[in-house]
């Protein structure tokens, strides 16, 4: 049995019998005017963060969500696009599609604005999305890509890139791990399906996105997720896993490489009112400017004593140099 089949079987079970805390962190439930999330959706929140960000969702974007879970994030996305088929939900597990559909009926009872027809549920595979080229403004996945092995991960990212419109966004939440994992952990199909042993280092995760062609990467959050300890897992050392929230934007790839935002900022504190590097970056005096890692490196190489470059905070909230 392949690791993908083991994953499908696990989430078939989770669809038939909700498993609270299967792989999710404790995230605050969205509170917006008129939005009520049914308890069953909260119990079936099989993710490790959130992919729903209001700043991504203006002007009724066409949205795609892969791996529907209990439908919670599909409902949240629908809040921003209340049109028939405005949100497409794709899942390979029939039972999960049915559970999500059933949960939408409950959501209709609890939200007078919501209609199940706002979400177009489709049977499909993340490696072969049943979606047209260049048709999606915002695509999302939560705690799915970390399950895939290298070649399947590349294929899944290529599929997301294919369906996005130019300048469209792929918004993701996945576990990551900076420590080396042994082969026993890596090859344990159930631990991989549980969003544990497939976790990659952040740089490797980002490289997989830029290799496919995404020109801008935003790391929006980084937070604790899980511990693999020797008492409960086949490891000789304690392994710390984090989750990150990332947006990959289908911008053209710059000639000098992708713009990767890891939460760095530049602050100019010299004698003039501003500093202009004549490469498109203007730093106002004593005003922090979010900069991508590439720009941070270029400014740092000037070796000026009136420009401070912060370390990566792994939190980026928009704006800045690019």
């Amino acid at each position: 049995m392949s690791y993908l089949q083991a994953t499908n079987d696990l989430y078939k079970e989770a669809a038939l019998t909700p498993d609270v805390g299967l792989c999710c962190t404790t995230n605050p439930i969205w509170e917006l005017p008129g939005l009520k999330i049914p308890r069953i959706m909260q119990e079936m929140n099989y993710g490790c963060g959130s992919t729903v960000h209001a700043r991504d969702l203006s002007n009724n974007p066409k949205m795609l969500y892969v791996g529907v879970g209990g439908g919670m994030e599909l409902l949240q996305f629908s809040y921003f696009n209340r049109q028939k088929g405005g949100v497409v939900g794709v899942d390979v597990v029939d039972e999960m599609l049915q559970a999500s559909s059933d949960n939408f009926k409950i959501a209709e009872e609890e939200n007078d604005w919501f209609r199940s027809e706002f979400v177009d549920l489709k049977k499909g595979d993340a490696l072969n999305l049943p979606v047209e080229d260049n048709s999606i403004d915002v695509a999302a996945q939560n705690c799915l890509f970390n399950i895939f092995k290298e070649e399947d991960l590349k294929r899944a990212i290529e599929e997301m890139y294919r369906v996005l419109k130019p300048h469209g966004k792929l918004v993701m939440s996945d576990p990551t791990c900076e420590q080396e994992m042994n082969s026993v952990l890596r090859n344990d199909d159930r631990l991989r399906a549980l969003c544990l042993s497939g976790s990659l280092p952040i740089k490797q995760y980002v490289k997989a996105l830029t290799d496919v062609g995404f020109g801008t990467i935003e790391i929006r959050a980084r937070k604790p997720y899980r511990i693999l300890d020797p008492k409960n897992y086949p490891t000789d050392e304690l392994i710390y896993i984090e989750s990150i929230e990332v947006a990959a934007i289908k911008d053209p790839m710059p000639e000098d490489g992708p713009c990767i935002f890891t939460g760095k900022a530049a602050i100019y504190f010299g004698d003039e009112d501003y500093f202009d590097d004549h490469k498109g970056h203007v730093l106002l005096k004593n005003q922090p400017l979010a900069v991508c890692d590439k720009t941070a490196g270029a400014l740092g190489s000037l070796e000026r004593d009136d420009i401070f470059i912060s370390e990566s905070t792994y939190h980026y909230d928009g704006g800045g140099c690019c």
Side-chain angles (χ1 to χ4, degrees):
M1 179 172 63
S2 72
Y3 82 96
L4 292 176
Q5 185 59 54
T7 301
N8 294 348
D9 291 345
L10 177 70
Y11 287 96
K12 175 182 176 179
E13 296 172 10
L16 296 173
T17 305
D19 187 351
V20 178
L22 173 65
C23 65
C24 62
T25 55
T26 302
N27 288 306
I29 298 300
W30 271 58
E31 295 185 8
L32 292 170
L35 174 61
K36 295 182 180 180
I37 299 175
R39 179 172 295 278
I40 184 63
M41 285 186 174
Q42 298 179 39
E43 293 175 350
M44 298 178 69
N45 175 24
Y46 303 139
C48 64
S50 178
T51 62
V52 185
H53 301 277
R55 70 176 180 269
D56 299 329
L57 304 174
S58 60
N59 302 315
N60 295 319
K62 181 75 172 183
M63 290 172 273
L64 167 68
Y65 189 77
V66 182
V68 300
M72 186 178 81
E73 289 190 271
L74 289 166
L75 173 63
Q76 293 171 345
F77 279 126
S78 295
Y79 185 89
F80 297 92
N81 187 338
R82 305 179 186 188
Q83 302 178 46
K84 183 177 181 179
V87 182
V88 178
V90 174
D91 205 298
V92 72
V93 179
D94 291 322
E95 291 79 5
M96 198 64 81
L97 289 167
Q98 185 60 55
S100 187
S101 179
D102 293 342
N103 292 345
F104 289 150
K105 295 185 176 72
I106 300 172
E108 284 184 336
E109 296 174 359
E110 298 186 12
N111 296 271
D112 57 13
W113 59 268
F114 178 69
R115 301 290 179 272
S116 293
E117 66 179 18
F118 294 168
V119 182
D120 181 11
L121 290 173
K122 293 186 176 183
K123 171 73 175 288
D125 189 331
L127 308 182
N128 296 281
L129 292 172
V131 181
E132 295 180 358
D133 296 359
N134 305 308
S135 62
I136 299 295
D137 294 297
V138 178
Q141 64 83 21
N142 194 333
C143 219
L144 172 63
F145 279 6
N146 74 100
I147 294 173
F148 292 130
K149 295 183 179 180
E150 185 175 1
E151 287 303 312
D152 289 335
L153 175 61
K154 181 175 183 293
R155 176 62 180 169
I157 296 172
E158 288 174 341
E159 278 292 274
M160 289 291 209
Y161 189 90
R162 174 183 67 80
V163 304
L164 281 170
K165 297 176 182 178
H167 307 292
K169 293 181 180 180
L170 169 58
V171 186
M172 300 158 287
S173 181
D174 275 303
T176 61
C177 182
E178 299 304 312
Q179 294 170 255
E180 186 72 27
M181 286 198 192
N182 62 50
S183 60
V184 176
L185 286 169
R186 288 293 188 198
N187 294 321
D188 188 311
D189 291 347
R190 184 171 178 80
L191 291 181
R192 184 174 283 272
L194 287 169
C195 302
L196 296 173
S197 64
S199 304
L200 298 174
I202 292 175
K203 285 187 178 180
Q204 190 174 340
Y205 184 95
V206 169
K207 185 176 186 300
L209 295 165
T210 57
D211 282 351
V212 168
F214 286 100
T216 302
I217 308 294
E218 302 175 353
I219 298 181
R220 295 176 168 180
R222 179 179 179 179
K223 50 195 174 183
Y225 179 65
R226 289 288 189 275
I227 292 293
L228 303 183
D229 66 279
K231 291 182 180 180
N232 296 289
Y233 297 93
T235 174
D236 293 330
E237 62 175 345
L238 185 146
I239 296 176
Y240 172 53
I241 301 176
E242 298 172 293
S243 68
I244 58 170
E245 295 178 9
V246 176
I249 304 172
K250 192 177 177 179
D251 288 338
M253 181 65 69
E255 291 184 3
D256 58 350
C259 293
I260 300 170
F261 289 86
T262 63
K264 291 186 177 182
I267 303 176
Y268 168 67
F269 53 95
D271 296 330
E272 306 298 327
D273 291 335
Y274 64 89
F275 170 78
D276 186 346
D277 71 350
H278 302 290
K279 296 180 180 179
H281 312 116
V282 177
L283 280 65
L284 299 179
K285 186 174 181 177
N286 294 323
Q287 298 296 312
L289 178 72
V291 291
C292 70
D293 290 8
K294 185 173 55 178
T295 299
L299 291 172
S301 69
L302 299 177
E303 298 184 346
R304 294 179 63 103
D305 62 3
D306 55 4
I307 295 178
F308 173 80
I309 308 295
S310 76
E311 297 294 328
S312 296
T313 64
Y314 295 97
H315 174 81
Y316 175 73
D317 200 29
C321 70
C322 302

